Amino acid sequence: MSTLVIVGSQWGDEGKGKITDLLSEEADIIVRYQGGCNAGHTVVIGDKQFIFHLIPSGILHPGKKCLIGSGVVVDPESLLQEMENLRKEGVEIDGRLFLDPKTHIVLPYHKTLDKLKEKKRGKDKLGTTKRGIGPAYLDKIARTGIRMVDLIDEKSLSKKLEINWKEKKEIFNKLYGLKMSNQEKINLIKKYQEYGQLLKKYLMDVSLYLNQAIKEDKKILFEGAQGTLLDVDHGTFPYVTSSHPIAGGACVGTGVGPTKIDKVIGITKAYTTRVGRGPLPTEMQGEMEEYIRQKGREFGATTGRPRRCGWFDAVVVNYAVRINGMDRLALTKIDVLSDLDKIKICTSYKYDGKLIKEFPASLETLQKCIPVYEEMKGWKKDISQVTNYEDLPPQLKVYINRIEELTKAKIVIVSVGPKRSQTIIREKIFK
Ligand code: IMP
């Protein structure tokens, strides 16, 4: 087995950064395939915490190649800043980090539009990260977007920006009453040409490189951002991101065919969280939610917003198992539940007097679904230093077994804290 997709099986923030960092030890190449700097992947090494927005979480492992596939939207300013921060920490970037020339660019007007659109939506806002992700993908699908390859071609950049500028100027003016000056456009072209020159040496055909690496049996990790329920096709639309975090997105966003993917592992938090608006059927209330938020440090890594917290939802994870074709899970943040007397698991929903186990397509239906819970006894023991599965409290194993039973997926990794050392590996992932 040499290719593995890491995917979030809930609404993001499942701990993909930590697991990617951990599995990167054995991998040769780590590649991001979608999203942009809306992501915030946290890795804790010793006393240091690193948050990655665009750069794959494998970068902290010396010598590993880290790639950004064409499915990602890149904000050059944010990328250069992240590279600089890592350099200051002594992390080698050159010769290790590469991005596909086909990646689309997030421009300042995308970020402004993201903010303006959200403001205009008022109480119906989506709760985006305001990083310009939606507007950048919109330009890509509308076939007007600007790509990395355009930044290194002076003529192409000027021509394409001219077209975009005209359109955006009208939108800004007519919809939001804002003016955009000619001088701003000239400055923007100059600035992005400079970014192009700074990033030129990092460009590489990611598809070509990966397919060659697969022939050589190199080990590749595809690092998904966000989560299955935020997928634009399969998530809780419209409260989703504008890309494909699901495993299928790894093929589209890197140019690797589906027959070349060996395995998919779902990163699953022992409870559920989401940032931004939209349904969260098992959402907790009051003190319990605040307790989990504080204990689990459930605040957005990109925006600092408090995350909404809920009990483990087997309907959601089952859906993710199906959509992603995953049969292995990494269960994260289980230590956060250690002091609770009772723990709930949602096994199905009650809708219109009937029990349903399949995640509904309609938000209206979902909003009326009442979670059906099973209540389990807590294990009431500090497990943050346990490194052996056998040494976990029996009651915690009951919880794990029940999740496996409900999702029909094997929990192969149990994460008991943010550090690399706080991980129990039950099965070797790369064989
Ligand atoms: P956008 O991706 O900024 O357009 O935001 C759309 C939705 O996705 C909002 O609910 C965000 O909070 C959510 N979202 C985007 N990125 C992440 C992430 O990395 N983790 C969790 N939620 C995210």
Side-chain angles (χ1 to χ4, degrees), residues 11-13 38-40 114 126-131 133-134 226 230 240-242 274-277 305:
W11 278 276
D13 308 317
N38 49 351
D114 201 352
L126 300 176
T128 74
T129 59
K130 301 193 179 123
R131 297 296 188 270
I133 305 301
Q226 289 87 43
L230 287 172
V240 292
T241 192
S242 302
R274 88 173 285 174
V275 253
R277 301 196 58 234
R305 290 179 291 175

Side-chain angles (χ1 to χ4, degrees), residues 381-398:
K381 262 203 180 115
D382 177 15
I383 51 155
S384 59
Q385 303 309 320
V386 177
T387 50
N388 217 322
Y389 188 77
E390 299 319 314
D391 299 336
L392 286 174
Q395 194 52 38
L396 171 50
K397 288 190 207 147
V398 172

Side-chain angles (χ1 to χ4, degrees), residues 147-179:
R147 302 186 298 171
M148 207 53 234
V149 69
D150 299 314
L151 297 196
I152 52 169
D153 178 338
E154 213 169 298
K155 273 198 193 127
S156 169
L157 178 64
S158 302
K159 194 174 152 206
K160 289 184 180 170
L161 240 163
E162 195 68 54
I163 298 167
N164 273 281
W165 195 260
K166 237 186 199 161
E167 187 207 49
K168 300 292 183 286
K169 198 172 164 175
E170 244 183 279
I171 295 176
F172 275 100
N173 196 356
K174 294 206 170 129
L175 291 183
Y176 304 104
L178 293 176
K179 296 256 179 289

